Amino acid sequence: MHSSANALCKLYLSVIDDVIENVRETFLDEGVEEGVLNELRQLWVSKVMQSKAVEGFRKDTINPSNFVLQLPANYTQTLQKQSASIILPPGQNVQNYTAKAGGAGAVATFSLPPGVTYPVHIPAGVTLQTASGHFYKVNVPVVVTQAPRSNRVFTQPAAQRAPPRPPPPQPAPSQARPTIQQAPAQTSNSEPTPAASSSTASGPQPDGSVAQADQPPPKEPPAPVDETPQAPVPQSVPPPPPVTPQPVPESPGDFTLEGIDFSPHPEGTLKQEQGQLPACEVGEGASNSNSLDTPEKEVKEEAPDGLPVSDGTAFFSLGSQLDEAIKMELLRDFNYSGLEDIVQLDGAGDGSSEEEEVDIGGPVGENDFLGMISAEALHVLEEAGGSDDSSSTSSSDMEKEEVIEELDPLNSGDDVSEQDIPDLFDTENVIVCQYEKIHRSKNRWKFNLRDGVMCYGGKDYVFSRAIGEAEW
Amino acid sequence: MDPGNDVALDIIITNVVATFRTRCHLNLRTIALEGLNVIYKPEVGKVLMKLRKPKITASIWSSGKIICTGATSEEDAKAGARRLARVLQKLGFKVRFSAFKVVNVLAVCSLPFQIHLIQFTKNNRPIASYEPELHPAASYRIKQLRATIQIFSTGSITLTGPDVQTVATAVEQIYPLLFECRKIKH
């Protein structure tokens, strides 16, 4: 169930991404700016989440600290936006993500590499899970932006590392920020220090060192850097496997998240960080977490700066010193469900489910049998359409009728109808699919369906084959 | 007929087929999409709509002609037909219930005796026909009533006629003929 929910949410997101991508050109041709497109995507994603039709978007109840955060990438979105959400499918490789994200500025979901090209906002209280499976809780809303290659800010994320180290819930991000600030100071990195993305700890940490990523972040963080963040929390949390560095294709100055080594380019920073964090795991899975962290760190950095990094500038600032402090601040009680907050996107919250999927009026061929398959849906349609219920109104497709004396005007038959219980179901359960074989014997039906989406009980299920039996 | 032939025979009507017209063109696609419990058969050009109460299946054509099958009595057929027309009306069509006519009634009857089909056929040569290789029942047509009776050797007979009354009459007509040819078990 869990896996299917994840698969479903991946599917939906990929659909969303595909559509957005295909539409991007048209938008641009029309002279509409990208911000609108991003907003559209954001709204779409929020609606999907709001509809709760997809499980994966929500936090896992099992592991409160584990959730897939969906992030609508939005250039215009800047820090502090609660709407940001990052999707980190557990176990998914960064590579996958980048592939997905490639070219899509609006890609919100990314399995991990946080820094992917765009300011990514991580709202406070969100728990991020890296591909490696490590969880990081963001206590401070952070904005992860992409910095040019040269510049990587490496803020020591050690603190974030992990749920295992539950820090006392820290209230305001603002608090975090100041602490973060200190950290950068230590790192003496006014410039965006290369984000040691690799360090897992970096995750939710606010970037102490705000680094304006003017310089392309050097990606290869020395291993130690990456590891250091991990160090503090090695025991509690097995360092997440380094996020396989996938160079983020999108941005020009993208930090290559190779091996998640966002190597802080200034050695100085590195050293500092190293000092703090024993270089241990870096190699291991730090990368994953790092990538995760980096964006967050960046975000944090942004926060203090108060301005989103312009596109192309990604910076991860990891303040090693900050680790602990940040961690504390970042990690709140795991019960905090950041997702609920995240879902609050601006815009009409009509909570409609994905409309593009519930399409009964699809191609004719399907409709013929959709009529049978989703009797409930039809019923709903009928209710909606025939509610007017006026005997005199005629549909437009009526042809002229001759006036011929008729026996018993049907109006008297009004009593006749009003019949059987509008068929029990007033449900919204719908299946939209293709059929292989539909068979009926008297009142026994057998269905052989394929490639469909089923909305049952408000939840969406996707299937490639479905067999059903029913009695009418 | 033997005057003493007052057997209470149970004639069970199994099917009543009726047609009526809506006097207006019907958009089958609309019906298929918005109607409840419908089966669209575009290859044939009709829509089947099933009603639960009374248990009726209606074939709807775009011309507005509707054939109603599955009813168990004439009244049921008419009520079902009207209900169906009402459903169509609700869907938005300007339906007028007209030309309702029961066209066929199917009934079965179980006679208390078995029948010697060959003898029966011999007695009623041109009217009755029996081809055991084709069909195990002897077929008897009553031209005036426009009724057909199928007689099985077990004593069950099925009757079809234009209306229920005809069917009843047909049973009465055929009973004595069958009575003569009954098999007598010792």
Side-chain angles (χ1 to χ4, degrees), chain A residues 14-31:
Chain A
S14 73
V15 167
I16 292 177
D17 294 339
D18 275 350
V19 170
I20 297 286
E21 278 320 296
N22 291 337
V23 154
R24 184 177 295 271
E25 290 209 20
T26 316
F27 267 53
L28 294 179
D29 287 347
E30 295 282 325

Side-chain angles (χ1 to χ4, degrees), chain A residues 266-281:
Chain A
E267 290 70 8
T269 30
L270 283 183
K271 290 177 202 157
Q272 294 172 358
E273 302 172 34
Q274 295 180 9
Q276 283 155 15
L277 308 170
C280 43
E281 2 177 339

Side-chain angles (χ1 to χ4, degrees), chain A residues 376-377 379-381 383-384 422-429, chain B residues 36:
Chain A
E376 305 87 359
H379 176 75
V380 171
L381 279 178
E383 302 271 330
D423 283 325
L424 345 152
F425 26 38
D426 256 324
T427 63
E428 293 277 343
N429 297 337
Chain B
L36 283 189

Side-chain angles (χ1 to χ4, degrees), chain A residues 372 378 395 398 401 406 417, chain B residues 33 38 86 92-94 96:
Chain A
M372 285 313 300
L378 288 184
S395 58
M398 281 305 93
E401 19 175 331
E406 57 217 34
S417 148
Chain B
L33 289 177
V38 288
R86 181 86 185 117
F93 300 100
K94 268 211 179 133
R96 296 206 230 153

Side-chain angles (χ1 to χ4, degrees), chain A residues 245-286:
Chain A
Q246 284 312 330
V248 180
E250 310 82 354
S251 69
D254 39 349
F255 34 88
T256 34
L257 302 181
E258 285 137 40
I260 303 208
D261 321 294
F262 302 96
S263 53
H265 68 270
E267 290 70 8
T269 30
L270 283 183
K271 290 177 202 157
Q272 294 172 358
E273 302 172 34
Q274 295 180 9
Q276 283 155 15
L277 308 170
C280 43
E281 2 177 339
V282 168
E284 328 166 29

Side-chain angles (χ1 to χ4, degrees), chain A residues 16-77:
Chain A
I16 292 177
D17 294 339
D18 275 350
V19 170
I20 297 286
E21 278 320 296
N22 291 337
V23 154
R24 184 177 295 271
E25 290 209 20
T26 316
F27 267 53
L28 294 179
D29 287 347
E30 295 282 325
V32 181
E33 40 176 64
E34 285 220 19
V36 175
L37 186 64
N38 291 333
E39 212 179 299
L40 166 70
R41 185 179 199 285
Q42 190 181 331
L43 280 173
W44 190 351
V45 167
S46 78
K47 291 231 176 121
V48 172
M49 294 200 309
Q50 278 177 356
S51 73
K52 298 220 173 18
V54 181
E55 293 280 352
F57 286 76
R58 287 191 266 123
K59 246 178 162 176
D60 285 357
T61 49
I62 302 165
N63 188 350
S65 63
N66 174 16
F67 80 96
V68 173
L69 179 57
Q70 180 161 24
L71 166 70
N74 193 337
Y75 278 106
T76 61
Q77 291 286 344

Side-chain angles (χ1 to χ4, degrees), chain A residues 153-206:
Chain A
V153 178
F154 178 79
T155 55
Q156 194 35 287
Q160 324 174 268
R161 204 83 43 137
R165 266 226 265 157
Q170 293 294 338
S174 56
Q175 298 179 6
R177 207 146 299 123
T179 45
I180 299 173
Q181 294 294 0
Q182 301 167 10
Q186 300 175 7
T187 55
S188 71
N189 218 358
S190 58
E191 283 304 334
T193 52
S197 54
S198 52
S199 61
T200 51
S202 52
Q205 262 176 356

